[in-house]
């Protein structure tokens, strides 16, 4: 392909950006290194792995599709990317992936469907990302739950899960929001930060693996504008989905 | 996680499979090495990249969504994985991805919508995977087109594209089918092989980059059963989508 002159100045810029891609991976690694590396989940190859959460996890999945390892059932987000990558990395394995995220969910809505959409599946690895709607719907849409509701509901959910699935590995993703983009303004902070802290505290309490998505997105936003990673401050772009999958894959593999 | 005894024998098996994952990447590299390495498409970072084809490319995308770099518009397949990966690898770039694959399409159906779904988008890189329905619908569903129809139609489509978009880089994916799985039986061969050869011949003629998906899937099927990579012999599984994306990313990056 010929390179028109007006592309040449862009080339220099992108070569710099291209170099930055290596440090993006470093950011992910550094952020997840905050967890104990020894706690990384080593796959045997026959695990059932369940993604749970809200729209970020749902990512447009076909909710009528109950099949295991089905593309349309995994949605168009980090869960699809991470599961495709692991099935590719472990050819011939019996890894079983499910995505049961539902758009708009808050913790109490996970609890209402936990028996069917979690416990019955008996996941060996359970990954939960929940909390942005617990704040958002309270702040903007008249939901009456508070940070105390979030903490109590998530505490109860995790306690129940630990009781019923004592050998399952838990992964808790940090709720995240990037200010200055459509859905998210400065009014979110510092209240929203309490939800992040609650998720981290409960991850510690229940010995769950914690993925610090907020700091991962903040660090990535030093390499490219936040809007590059999340188009509305809450939902990841294509690049943001890959960023989340890369972070998730630092915890499981 | 404790490892029950019945998992330990599986462990050994999967450790072997896990080791095999490295050679899967080698397979992809070896297969794409058949193309001249010098022809690898080096991205500047502001290219428009269009995926075209049938259901394998479509992969359940939201066809009403005309946005660029939109997760739901990219579907649940190799195009989604490859575009997410490149946008992540080139943070802050102005790469623009579109997926216009439509389930069931044969070459003449691409031609009918080529003005709107290709030429108007002015792709710098155009990736086409088409041909399995040209055979399948002829063999099983009463479509009257033959191998000659496929060759002529694809030849005309590529000539028109080269004339109207002379600076675009073309990528042609090899149509593929894995026998012994639901949709595909031995009756497909050797007739189906003529479609593969036609795609390769036309790739050579039009100096397109060629991705040998058939041999990639065949080699991968030595590491895990073909059904692990394609659930019906034609459409990729999650692992197969990642396999295709990995091959595609050997050509562009």
């Amino acid at each position: 392909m010929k390179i028109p002159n007006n592309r040449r100045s862009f080339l220099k810029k992108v070569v710099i950006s291209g170099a930055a891609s290596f440090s993006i991976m470093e950011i992910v690694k550094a952020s997840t290194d905050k967890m104990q590396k020894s706690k990384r989940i080593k796959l045997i190859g026959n695990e059932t792995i369940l993604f749970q959460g809200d729209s970020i996890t749902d990512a447009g999945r076909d909710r009528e599709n109950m099949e295991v390892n089905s593309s349309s059932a995994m949605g168009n987000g980090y869960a699809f990317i991470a599961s495709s990558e692991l099935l590719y990395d472990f050819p011939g394995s019996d890894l079983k992936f499910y995505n049961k995220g539902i758009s708009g969910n808050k913790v109490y809505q996970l609890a209402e469907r936990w028996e069917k959409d979690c416990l019955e599946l008996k996941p060996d690895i359970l990954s939960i990302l929940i909390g942005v709607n617990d704040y958002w719907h309270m702040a903007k849409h008249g939901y009456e739950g508070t940070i105390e509701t979030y903490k109590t509901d998530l505490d109860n959910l995790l306690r129940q899960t630990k009781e019923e699935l004592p050998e399952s590995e838990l992964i808790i993703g940090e709720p995240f929001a990037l200010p200055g983009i459509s859905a998210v303004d400065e009014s979110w902070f510092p209240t929203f930060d309490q939800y992040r802290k609650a998720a981290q505290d409960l991850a510690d309490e229940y010995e769950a693996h914690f993925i610090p998505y907020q700091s991962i997105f903040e660090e990535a936003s030093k390499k490219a504008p936040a809007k590059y990673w999340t188009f509305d401050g809450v939902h990841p772009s294509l690049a943001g989905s890959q960023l989340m999958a890369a972070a998730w894959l630092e915890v499981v593999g």
Side-chain angles (χ1 to χ4, degrees), chain A residues 25-231:
Chain A
M25 201 57 222
E26 291 306 307
I27 288 164
V28 167
K29 282 184 193 294
S31 300
T32 50
D33 274 350
K34 290 176 189 166
M35 314 166 332
Q36 294 137 296
K37 263 291 174 194
S38 59
K39 285 181 67 184
R40 187 164 197 264
I41 302 170
K42 296 294 283 182
L43 291 176
I44 295 170
N46 63 352
E47 287 88 346
T48 294
I49 302 173
L50 171 62
F51 292 92
Q52 264 291 6
D54 52 35
S55 56
I56 299 164
T57 303
D58 180 329
R61 70 184 177 91
D62 175 2
R63 295 183 201 154
E64 303 300 311
N65 182 345
M66 299 296 161
E67 286 174 44
V68 67
N69 295 344
S70 164
S71 296
S72 68
M74 293 307 296
N76 312 91
Y78 73 96
F80 174 81
I81 297 172
S83 54
S84 299
E85 177 75 41
L86 285 178
L87 287 161
Y88 171 81
D89 285 345
F90 289 81
S93 72
D94 190 30
L95 294 171
K96 293 170 280 288
F97 288 94
Y98 294 95
N99 179 358
K100 298 290 181 187
I102 291 189
S103 188
N105 267 197
K106 295 170 278 290
V107 179
Y108 82 87
Q109 291 156 315
L110 291 191
E112 287 173 352
R113 58 191 182 84
W114 210 236
E115 183 65 34
K116 179 167 173 296
D117 282 357
C118 174
L119 302 177
E120 285 183 7
L121 294 168
K122 296 189 180 15
D124 298 296
I125 300 170
L126 167 62
S127 175
I128 305 172
L129 172 56
I130 197 81
V132 72
N133 295 318
D134 297 76
Y135 168 78
W136 195 3
H137 294 189
M138 178 274 295
K140 312 284 178 186
H141 301 293
Y143 169 58
E144 293 187 355
T146 64
I147 176 64
E148 292 307 322
T149 316
Y150 176 71
K151 273 198 273 197
T152 306
D153 288 357
L154 189 53
D155 190 1
N156 288 338
L157 191 74
L158 294 173
R159 184 181 308 109
Q160 180 195 6
T161 306
K162 272 287 181 188
E163 282 170 8
E164 304 215 23
L165 302 169
E167 296 200 358
S168 293
E169 294 274 6
L170 294 180
I171 300 171
I172 295 181
E174 182 179 33
F176 60 91
L178 279 290
I181 313 171
S182 59
V184 182
D185 58 32
E186 291 296 343
S187 74
W188 283 49
F189 305 92
T191 309
F192 179 70
D193 296 328
Q194 297 180 302
Y195 291 75
R196 296 168 44 206
K197 183 171 185 310
Q200 177 145 29
D201 288 348
L202 287 165
D204 290 344
E205 184 178 338
Y206 287 96
E207 296 181 318
H209 307 256
F210 183 71
I211 305 183
Y213 287 124
Q214 180 74 29
S215 52
I216 289 168
F217 274 93
E218 285 177 0
E219 288 298 314
S221 298
K222 295 175 184 170
K223 303 293 174 191
K227 205 172 166 54
Y228 187 82
W229 306 103
T230 159
F231 55 87

